[in-house]
């Protein structure tokens, strides 16, 4: 096997040095009743065969690069500058472990410190951790942190928070004895606080732009929950929106968290992405996850090291703020390099292009007879349309023509049976958008 | 001097080029922000910044990285190429199942392979890491007892366990009760018996445990836990130690997680992303998180979301899919025979390395180990030295240090896991370094105290960094 | 030798009775054992604790240690200086490194604590 450096002679010699005659002797302490004597049935392939097998599996999939896609819902296709993969694939980064030995991990440590700073800049928050698994678990951790800060057990969450984030929240909170209360949206698709009560709530979690792409009035929501002593959580599923929309701190969010896949990562069938988590500094000791701080070495040189580790599982065990150990470190590096390359101007341009493309898409779709926006509130780069017919049927029609259409909202929102959610990014050309609209019009024509 | 990217920023530069907007500009009717404060640099400057940062890291492709319980084995290059194929990396999680048949087939096949390897009936690939897998497993077990109408809230955890075990149990709303280790490093059966009751939901066990020792009483332990109606959870961090020689499913475990980023060679990436698939015995299958990959009668694959007894979702979408692609690539590259050889070599390497340093270093539990072993540096105390000093001196000698100060039951623990991807020569040079360090400790302790000297930075003042933490650049 | 003007717990805390209050701190042995203290998670003033219950947490770089209340009572004062200078515990455990003042709920509980001589003996037996 090409990955194993021991030669047959080595093995004999090493066993001999141990006073053993066979490899089997190394496993003599395994009870005979459960000892396996034969290899598994999985066949071993030569490298060219492995490549062929994987390539043939990959070829069975329709990928968003070779087609035109208007899918969003928390995962977006943005342009990834070529330099990123070359830097990420430096073995010094990707074949290193968690930076436990700081003196030989300064590359990772400084990068995470820079990443933490980038996230603070994007959100306006004071502290950010070294990453969570994804947007959904970041939101779940935020609710647990709010419980820990307030000692309260009611979690208010916008119904327009990503359905899978809400599903994750339900799973996480269930056994903690926390009550999850969903806040409805009004006819414009915006958060409707008039029908819930803020009393005794640990937090209010609002996604903006919300799952329907709509930009919420965050300041009012923040004031509302703060008046009752709760924690205000800004969630996001499209990090590119942070290039244009006001930062979380501007509406006094206590925690900002969400999905960072948009920051230079491919869609990857949903993972790995990046869980972003930031908060006000006064809550830092209640925060989950790893934190890197600036330090000095014995010679007085600037250095970086893990700090406040007493919050973490390897020290605090059952009293830790979270059980997280492995995180998404390489994805955080990916986001850092992306933001470094795009810079102030570039990142803003991405956000603006997303906005303009999605608004062009919406305007063209509105011109198709029978289609109308489901909601009236302003949106960023994603918009829901109520269509005359089944979104699944429309998607199937589009797929036949090589287009990945939108998300049918009915599985997660039975009340929005004919609603179809489409997203646009800077990657969708005018030509693609026009082609989509033409196909939708054709489909609509076929219905009549 | 380590300048930050922000300190290198200068006006008027950009490192990217976006195409011109080809649609009309719309009126912006949402509130917008002023500047963000992102740095502005040209592409070569960004590339040089990160290339130079990378040079300050020790990594597996540079040298020996014997971190115990972390399984720092070689990360095959072909895995990375396969995960980067557009047919995997450019898939969108909301695209119809019919357009992602290859991806679903891969997940299905990986599930089958993991079942064979661990002796379980079904896996979920949603958990993003080992600790996430633990939480998933405990949620599954809790739901199982809820369905049976039993109220159980105690999770037993050995004193040698990974910190994630008690942390996950607490997150699952359970009370943690610690079980002692016996003089052979295994679970103390008398203590276990004393702590078993009908309130016990599960015993979480790593086997081989964090001392690298296989618990020979595993069948008795399983019997005891099952006798009070509890379930057995397998922390797969150490699957490397028995893979191909014994399966957790046969040992009596009801739920397992495996770490694809350990046993199955996917890179650690400086801390992640990992993947912690969870496998269960049949009675727990209805509770698995959604969606579950199914194979239909016509051979087509689909995602099943309609599972009334599911615990729900553990995170978004299908987990760290690209990590699964890498692990599947690895499993195909090794096959059944390769997986067995992998474990045999890992265990042989560990025992051989142990034999070279035993005697000079104290071995608290002197038995044949599995893929890792734990030494005590207790005696270094007489020279005013701690395990950290030994670790830092190893850095000077060109090696990454083993895991230190864990497990907690060994004073000044050095936990060494060489893996199967190291040569006999590497093991011998590492052993030589450890022996030299012991001699230096006796004769020139300052060499350890003042280590490291030959690293990008010297010993870091963690106390000051923690007293007034600086967590971002301003 | 530990100061004789106070009483001790087996968990290495001292209490100095001052009328109906007790000033509480960690012993020199405790601070040495903990190493460089980097953070003290002080309880809020007004918090009521029972003897033996969690009072506060002190942290070094790689450990967090629970400190249990030597007596039942109400926290009436905390050593605010520790928020910015936790090292005071290392520097002067029996003086400026005090942690809280408790209003004593049950003076009788003091009998459960050790005299300085008994505490010295305890330490000697642990070496």
């Amino acid at each position: 096997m090409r990955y194993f450096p021991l030669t047959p002679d080595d093995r004999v010699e090493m066993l001999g040095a141990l006073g053993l005659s066979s490899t089997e002797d190394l496993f003599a302490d395994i009870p005979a009743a459960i000892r396996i004597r034969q290899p598994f049935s999985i066949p071993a392939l030569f490298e060219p065969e492995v490549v062929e097998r994987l390539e043939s599996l990959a070829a069975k999939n329709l990928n968003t690069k070779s087609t035109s896609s208007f899918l969003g819902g928390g995962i977006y296709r943005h342009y990834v500058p070529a330099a990123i993969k070359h830097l990420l694939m430096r073995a010094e980064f990707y074949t290193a472990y968690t930076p436990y030995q700081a003196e030989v991990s300064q590359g990772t440590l400084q990068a995470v410190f820079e990443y933490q700073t980038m996230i603070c800049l994007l959100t306006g928050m004071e502290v950010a951790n070294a990453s969570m698994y994804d947007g959904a678990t970041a939101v779940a951790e935020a609710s647990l942190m709010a419980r820990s800060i307030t000692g309260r057990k009611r979690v208010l969450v916008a119904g327009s928070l990503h359905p899978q984030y809400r599903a994750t929240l339900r799973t996480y909170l269930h056994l903690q004895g926390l009550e999850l209360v969903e806040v409805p949206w009004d006819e414009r698709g915006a958060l409707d606080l008039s029908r819930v009560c803020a009393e005794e709530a640990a937090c209010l979690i609002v996604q903006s732009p919300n799952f329907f792409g709509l930009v919420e009035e965050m300041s009012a929501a923040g004031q509302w929950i703060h008046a009752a002593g709760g924690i205000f959580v800004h969630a996001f599923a499209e990090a590119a929106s942070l290039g244009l929309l006001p930062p979380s701190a501007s509406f006094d969010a206590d925690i900002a968290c969400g999905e960072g896949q948009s920051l230079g990562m491919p869609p990857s069938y949903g993972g790995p992405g990046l869980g972003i988590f930031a908060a006000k500094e006064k809550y830092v000791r209640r925060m989950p996850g790893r934190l890197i701080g600036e330090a000095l070495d014995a010679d007085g040189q600037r250095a970086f090291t893990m700090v406040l580790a007493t919050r973490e599982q390897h020290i605090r065990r059952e009293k830790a703020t979270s059980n997280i150990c492995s995180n998404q470190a390489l994805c955080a590096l990916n986001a850092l390099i992306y933001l470094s390359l795009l810079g102030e101007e570039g990142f803003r341009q991405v956000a603006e292009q997303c906005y303009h493309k999605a608004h062009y898409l919406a305007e063209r779709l509105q011109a198709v007879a029978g289609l109308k926006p489901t909601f009236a509130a302003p949106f960023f780069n994603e918009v829901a349309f109520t269509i005359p017919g089944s979104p699944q049927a429309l998607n199937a029609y589009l797929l036949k023509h090589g287009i990945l259409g939108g998300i049918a909202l009915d599985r997660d929102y039975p009340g929005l049976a004919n609603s179809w959610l489409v997203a646009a990014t800077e990657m969708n050309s005018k030509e693609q958008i026009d082609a989509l609209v033409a196909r939708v019009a054709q489909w609509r024509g076929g219905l009549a | 001097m380590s300048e930050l990217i922000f300190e290198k920023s200068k006006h008027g530069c950009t490192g990217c080029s976006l195409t011109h907007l080809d649609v009309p500009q719309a009126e912006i009717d949402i509130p917008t922000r002023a500047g963000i404060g992102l740095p502005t640099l040209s592409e070569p400057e960004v590339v040089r910044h990160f290339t130079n940062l990378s040079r300050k890291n020790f990594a597996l492709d540079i040298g020996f990285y014997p971190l115990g319980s972390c399984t720092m084995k070689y990360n095959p290059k072909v895995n990375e190429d396969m995960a980067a194929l557009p047919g995997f990396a450019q898939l969108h999680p909301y695209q119809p199942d019919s357009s992602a048949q290859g991806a679903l087939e891969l997940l299905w096949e990986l599930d089958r392979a993991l079942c064979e390897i661990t002796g379980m009936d079904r896996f979920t690939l949603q958990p993003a890491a080992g600790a996430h897998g633990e939480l998933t497993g405990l949620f599954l077990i809790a739901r199982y007892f809820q369905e049976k109408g039993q109220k159980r809230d105690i999770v037993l955890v050995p004193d040698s366990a990974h910190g994630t075990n008690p942390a996950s149990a607490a997150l699952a709303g359970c009370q943690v009760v610690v079980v002692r280790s016996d003089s052979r490093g295994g679970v103390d059966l008398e203590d276990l018996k004393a702590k078993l009751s009908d309130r016990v939901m599960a015993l979480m066990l790593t086997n081989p445990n964090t001392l690298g020792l296989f618990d020979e009483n595993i069948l008795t332990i399983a019997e005891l836990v099952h006798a009070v109606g509890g379930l057995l959870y397998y922390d797969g961090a150490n699957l490397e130690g028995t893979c191909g020689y014994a399966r957790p499913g046969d040992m009596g475990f009801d739920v397992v997680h495996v770490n694809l980023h350990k046993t199955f060679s996917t890179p650690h990436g400086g801390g992640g992303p990992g993947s912690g698939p969870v496998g269960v015995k049949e009675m727990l299958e209805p509770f698995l998180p959604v969606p579950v990959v199914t194979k239909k009668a016509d051979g087509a694959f689909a995602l099943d979301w309609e599972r009334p007894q599911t615990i729900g979702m553990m995170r978004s979408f299908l987990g760290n899919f690209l990590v699964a692609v890498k692990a599947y690539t690895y499993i195909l590259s090794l096959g059944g025979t390769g997986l067995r050889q992998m474990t045999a070599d890992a265990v042989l390497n560990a025992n051989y390395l142990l034999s070279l340093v035993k005697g000079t270093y104290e071995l608290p539990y002197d038995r044949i180990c599995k893929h890792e072993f734990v030494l005590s540096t207790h005696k270094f105390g007489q020279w005013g030295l701690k395990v950290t000093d030994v670790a830092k001196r190893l850095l000077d000698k060109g090696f990454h240090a083993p895991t230190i100060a864990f497990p907690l039951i060994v004073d000044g623990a050095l936990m060494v896991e060489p893996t199967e991807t190291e040569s006999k020569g590497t093991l011998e040079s590492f052993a030589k370094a450890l022996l030299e360090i012991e001699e230096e400790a006796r004769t020139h302790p300052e060499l350890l105290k003042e280590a490291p000297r030959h690293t990008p930075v010297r010993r870091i003042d963690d106390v000051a960094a923690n007293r007034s933490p600086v967590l971002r650049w301003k | 030798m530990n100061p004789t003007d106070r009483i001790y717990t087996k968990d290495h805390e001292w209490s100095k009775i001052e009328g109906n209050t007790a000033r509480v701190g960690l012993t020199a042995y405790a601070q040495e054992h903990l190493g460089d203290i980097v953070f003290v998670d002080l309880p809020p003033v007004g918090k009521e604790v029972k003897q033996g219950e969690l009072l506060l947490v002190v942290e070094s770089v790689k450990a967090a240690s629970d400190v249990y209340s030597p007596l039942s009572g109400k926290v009436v004062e905390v050593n605010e200086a520790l928020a910015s200078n936790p090292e005071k515990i290392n520097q002067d455990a029996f003086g400026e490194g005090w942690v809280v003042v408790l209003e004593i709920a049950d003076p009788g509980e003091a009998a459960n604590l050790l005299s300085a001589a008994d505490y010295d003996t305890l330490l000697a037996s642990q070496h």
Side-chain angles (χ1 to χ4, degrees):
Chain A
M1 174 58 219
R2 65 188 176 283
Y3 305 145
F4 306 158
L6 293 188
T7 65
D9 286 350
D10 285 340
R11 294 186 183 111
V12 172
E13 204 180 311
M14 291 160 78
L15 283 167
L18 295 170
L20 303 174
S21 53
S22 127
T23 310
E24 293 296 311
D25 297 343
L26 294 166
F27 299 91
D29 47 4
I30 298 175
I34 55 167
R35 177 92 166 270
I36 301 175
R37 308 276 172 180
Q38 291 303 317
F40 301 129
S41 66
I42 306 161
L45 305 183
F46 295 107
E47 186 168 307
E49 295 169 334
V50 173
V51 171
E52 198 185 315
R53 166 74 177 143
L54 270 290
E55 281 177 347
S56 82
L57 284 172
K60 290 185 192 174
N61 305 316
L62 180 65
N63 77 68
T64 57
K65 197 174 179 183
S66 63
T67 180
S68 97
S69 163
F70 297 87
L71 290 168
I75 297 289
Y76 303 86
R77 193 167 162 257
H78 291 283
Y79 184 70
V80 178
I84 291 182
K85 83 163 181 260
H86 293 272
L87 292 169
L88 280 182
M89 280 293 99
R90 284 194 65 91
E92 295 89 335
F93 283 132
Y94 87 87
T95 76
Y97 197 74
T98 302
Y100 286 131
Q101 292 295 336
E103 295 84 356
V104 289
S105 310
Q106 286 297 302
T108 296
L109 287 162
Q110 182 175 332
V112 177
F113 183 80
E114 291 179 353
Y115 163 80
Q116 289 173 184
T117 303
M118 286 284 189
I119 298 306
C120 289
L121 290 170
L122 290 189
T123 59
M125 305 304 286
E126 292 158 335
V127 289
N129 74 13
S131 75
M132 311 300 293
Y133 306 133
D134 73 336
T137 52
V139 168
E141 293 271 10
S143 70
L144 296 175
M145 179 168 150
R147 190 265 314 262
S148 151
I149 294 169
T150 61
R152 299 175 178 180
K153 294 196 153 190
R154 252 177 107 231
V155 171
L156 304 181
V157 56
S160 52
L161 174 72
H162 195 298
Q164 300 198 2
Y165 297 11
R166 274 183 294 126
T168 304
L169 259 179
R170 272 195 294 277
T171 314
Y172 267 68
L173 301 193
H174 172 66
L175 289 173
Q176 296 268 333
L178 269 72
E179 182 197 1
L180 195 63
V181 180
E182 291 204 1
V183 183
W185 60 84
D186 62 19
E187 73 285 351
R188 299 169 63 245
L191 191 72
D192 183 0
L193 292 167
S194 68
R195 283 184 276 169
V196 286
C197 164
E199 290 313 303
E200 280 309 302
C203 61
L204 170 67
I205 304 171
V206 184
Q207 180 180 327
S208 181
N210 68 20
F211 187 67
F212 310 127
L214 310 172
V215 177
E216 298 279 8
E217 287 169 21
M218 295 298 276
S219 294
Q223 283 163 16
W224 181 83
I225 187 69
H226 281 153
I231 294 291
F232 185 38
V233 181
H234 172 214
F236 49 86
E238 167 53 306
S241 67
L242 297 167
L244 189 61
L245 287 165
S248 321
S250 71
F251 38 80
D252 204 19
D254 300 292
I255 300 172
C257 56
E259 177 60 54
Q261 171 270 333
S262 279
L263 305 177
M265 280 148 262
S268 311
Y269 209 29
L274 170 68
I276 292 175
F277 198 103
K280 287 181 178 166
E281 190 159 19
K282 64 178 170 183
Y283 299 129
V284 68
R285 287 182 185 273
R286 308 274 185 184
M287 254 173 100
R290 196 167 294 140
L291 289 165
I292 307 305
E294 194 173 330
L296 293 175
D297 77 353
D299 290 339
Q301 291 188 82
R302 179 197 252 177
F304 300 89
T305 188
M306 300 205 292
V307 294
L308 306 186
T310 45
R311 299 164 302 109
E312 295 186 67
Q313 49 75 28
H314 61 279
I315 292 177
R316 198 59 145 258
R317 299 175 81 84
E318 66 268 26
K319 289 178 184 159
T321 53
S322 165
N323 70 337
I324 192 167
C325 182
S326 283
N327 55 21
Q328 303 280 116
L330 200 68
C331 304
L333 176 66
N334 188 331
L336 169 66
I337 301 171
Y338 176 80
L339 290 167
S340 302
L341 285 167
L342 265 75
E344 182 79 12
E345 274 306 297
F347 190 55
R348 172 96 182 189
Q349 272 179 40
V350 166
E352 285 183 358
Q353 286 210 12
C354 287
Y355 182 91
H356 294 307
K357 300 264 184 171
H359 283 73
Y360 175 73
L361 167 64
E363 190 191 303
R364 295 290 320 274
L365 281 175
Q366 272 194 76
V368 178
L371 266 73
K372 64 175 181 43
T374 307
F375 301 113
F379 63 94
F380 173 61
N381 72 339
E382 199 157 11
V383 57
F385 273 83
T386 305
I387 62 170
S390 137
Q392 281 85 357
L394 172 56
N395 282 340
Y397 178 84
L398 292 171
L399 190 59
K400 243 179 15 199
H401 294 94
I403 298 172
L404 287 166
I407 297 171
L409 289 176
D410 58 347
R411 199 186 70 217
D412 296 308
Y413 298 98
L416 300 173
N418 290 320
S419 224
W420 184 63
L421 184 70
V422 281
T425 70
E426 78 280 11
M427 300 298 277
N428 295 104
S429 65
K430 178 172 180 294
E431 199 182 329
Q432 281 184 359
I433 296 172
D434 291 343
L436 169 79
V437 174
R439 290 293 177 195
V440 172
Q442 262 178 22
W443 171 78
R444 161 75 184 126
L447 289 180
Chain B
M1 180 61 192
S2 42
E3 252 188 316
L4 296 169
I5 189 106
F6 307 98
E7 295 159 344
K8 295 177 177 169
S9 170
K10 55 196 195 307
H11 278 298
C13 263
T14 180
C16 74
S17 79
L18 288 173
T19 40
H20 281 295
L21 187 64
D22 59 356
V23 300
Q25 290 213 5
E27 189 198 330
I28 295 187
D29 63 354
I30 53 174
T32 58
R33 71 189 296 168
I36 300 171
L38 296 181
T40 48
L41 293 96
S42 65
E43 181 176 320
E45 291 167 304
V46 172
V47 168
R48 195 165 283 172
H49 176 75
F50 288 104
T51 303
N52 279 307
L53 273 192
S54 77
R55 286 157 52 96
K56 296 182 183 180
N57 266 6
F58 189 88
L60 200 46
D61 281 5
I62 296 173
F64 191 42
Y65 215 127
L67 272 177
S69 265
C70 300
T71 312
M72 290 296 282
K73 64 169 70 177
Y74 174 67
N75 311 131
K77 302 301 171 190
V78 67
N79 297 359
E80 301 303 313
D81 284 2
M82 295 303 98
L85 290 171
F88 295 130
Q90 299 294 338
L91 300 189
H92 194 285
Y94 276 110
Q95 70 186 68
D97 296 349
S98 65
S99 70
Q101 285 296 300
L104 295 173
E105 183 177 341
L106 184 148
L107 291 170
W108 174 267
E109 289 297 328
L110 180 55
D111 177 347
R112 295 292 90 214
L114 292 176
C115 283
E116 185 178 0
I117 290 168
T118 59
M120 306 308 285
D121 295 318
R122 196 69 217 270
F123 267 82
T124 170
L125 292 152
Q126 201 169 60
H132 202 214
E134 292 173 17
L135 192 59
T136 307
L138 291 170
F139 284 161
L140 289 166
I141 295 171
R143 174 56 59 90
Y144 169 76
F145 286 119
Q146 195 186 335
E147 293 284 320
K148 289 178 73 124
Q150 294 182 17
K151 213 173 150 39
R152 292 173 181 260
D153 60 349
I154 290 177
V155 171
L156 299 179
V157 173
D159 53 11
S160 60
H162 297 113
T164 49
N165 292 179
S168 300
L171 250 185
C174 299
Q175 188 189 327
V176 177
V177 173
V178 175
V179 182
R180 276 197 305 272
S181 299
D182 66 14
S183 59
R184 285 180 59 76
V187 171
D188 183 325
L189 291 179
E190 291 313 310
D191 196 44
L192 174 65
K193 283 180 199 158
K195 282 161 182 169
L196 282 171
S197 72
D198 61 2
R199 277 181 61 198
V200 169
M201 192 172 104
L203 167 67
M204 297 181 86
L205 211 58
T206 310
N207 194 22
N209 62 21
T210 57
L211 297 163
L213 304 175
F214 187 83
D215 201 317
E216 305 132 314
N217 296 323
I218 183 60
L219 296 175
T220 311
I221 293 169
E223 239 177 71
L224 288 170
V225 174
H226 287 150
V228 299
L231 297 188
L232 232 66
Y233 183 92
Y234 178 85
D235 174 340
N238 292 350
L239 178 60
E240 177 84 358
T242 56
C243 184
Y245 285 86
R247 311 190 302 173
D250 301 333
M251 297 175 203
F253 287 95
D254 304 289
V255 186
V256 314
H257 86 254
V258 301
N259 298 76
L260 297 185
H261 50 289
K262 294 181 178 175
T263 322
F264 300 102
S265 85
T266 75
H268 285 81
S275 176
V278 168
V280 295
K281 292 278 174 68
E282 202 178 353
M283 78 274 191
L284 290 155
E285 200 180 320
F287 313 119
L288 286 175
V290 284
V292 168
V293 181
T294 56
K295 190 174 184 177
K296 296 192 272 192
D298 64 357
F301 296 93
L303 291 175
D304 182 8
W305 292 85
E306 304 303 323
R307 296 174 65 89
Q309 290 181 289
T310 176
I311 57 165
M313 295 190 84
M314 285 304 296
R315 52 155 288 170
S316 58
F317 309 115
L318 297 153
N320 284 335
F321 171 71
L322 295 187
V323 180
V325 173
K326 296 176 197 182
Y328 183 62
T329 305
Y330 181 71
I331 290 172
L332 290 186
S333 301
L334 263 60
T337 40
L339 286 167
R340 203 168 145 87
Q341 189 69 58
M342 161 191 101
T343 305
D345 282 3
V347 173
L348 180 58
N349 272 354
N351 280 284
Y352 182 67
L353 177 53
L354 174 58
S355 74
L356 300 177
V357 296
K358 176 163 98 173
T360 305
Y361 284 78
E362 192 186 334
L363 180 68
Y365 303 93
D366 192 359
R367 289 167 51 186
I368 284 196
C369 65
K370 287 290 154 296
H371 63 303
E372 68 186 2
F373 57 88
V374 178
L375 302 169
S376 166
T377 56
H378 174 77
K379 75 170 187 187
F380 285 69
Q382 63 185 301
W383 306 305
L385 298 168
K386 293 184 171 149
V387 64
T388 307
D389 302 313
V390 177
K392 300 304 179 195
R393 187 65 183 145
L394 272 169
L395 305 183
D396 269 344
K397 294 181 184 281
F399 298 101
H400 197 279
T403 299
I404 57 168
F406 185 82
L408 309 173
I409 56 172
V410 173
D411 186 24
L414 266 183
M415 188 191 207
V416 187
E417 179 178 6
T419 83
E420 74 283 6
T421 61
E422 298 299 335
S423 69
K424 181 165 168 282
T426 301
L427 303 179
E428 286 161 357
S429 13
F430 181 72
K432 185 165 162 272
L434 274 180
L435 300 183
E436 278 169 12
I437 289 173
E438 194 265 350
E439 183 168 341
E440 290 169 356
R442 279 187 279 119
T443 55
H444 298 92
E446 69 283 357
L447 284 175
L448 279 74
K449 266 254 167 286
E450 288 165 18
R453 291 189 161 273
H454 311 305
T455 46
V457 298
R458 301 216 21 228
R459 191 96 56 112
I460 288 167
D461 185 352
D462 284 318
V463 172
N466 276 281
R467 276 191 183 146
S468 7
V470 176
L471 301 170
R472 58 166 294 190
W473 174 83
K474 261 185 196 159
Chain C
M1 289 296 285
N2 290 284
T4 52
D5 59 347
R6 50 199 93 191
I7 47 180
Y8 297 86
T9 67
K10 291 191 179 87
D11 298 326
H12 313 290
E13 293 123 34
W14 55 261
S15 308
K16 191 175 174 189
I17 311 288
E18 300 164 345
N20 64 343
T21 64
R23 190 169 297 268
V24 175
L26 306 177
T27 66
Y29 174 86
Q31 70 81 17
E32 199 173 318
H33 199 71
L34 291 165
D36 292 314
I37 291 167
V38 298
F39 179 68
V40 184
D41 194 3
L42 291 164
V45 170
K47 180 184 166 130
E48 308 238 6
V49 281
K50 292 243 159 49
Q51 187 172 40
E53 270 183 6
L54 181 66
L55 178 64
L56 52 87
V57 180
V58 291
E59 296 183 1
S60 61
V61 173
K62 288 187 173 123
S65 309
D66 293 338
V67 175
Y68 301 99
S69 192
L71 297 162
S72 303
K74 186 161 89 176
V75 177
V76 290
E77 204 183 333
V78 300
N79 189 352
E80 300 286 358
L82 296 178
S84 47
N85 297 98
E87 63 273 21
K88 279 183 188 293
I89 294 178
N90 295 118
Q91 293 160 353
D92 188 8
F94 290 112
E96 279 190 32
W98 64 276
V99 289
V100 300
V101 176
L102 292 173
E103 187 180 276
I104 301 170
D106 176 6
E109 283 177 354
N112 305 337
L113 272 56
L114 305 173
S115 69
D118 289 346
Y119 183 63
D120 287 344
T121 312
L122 175 80
L123 291 188
S125 72
Q126 289 188 348
H127 283 296

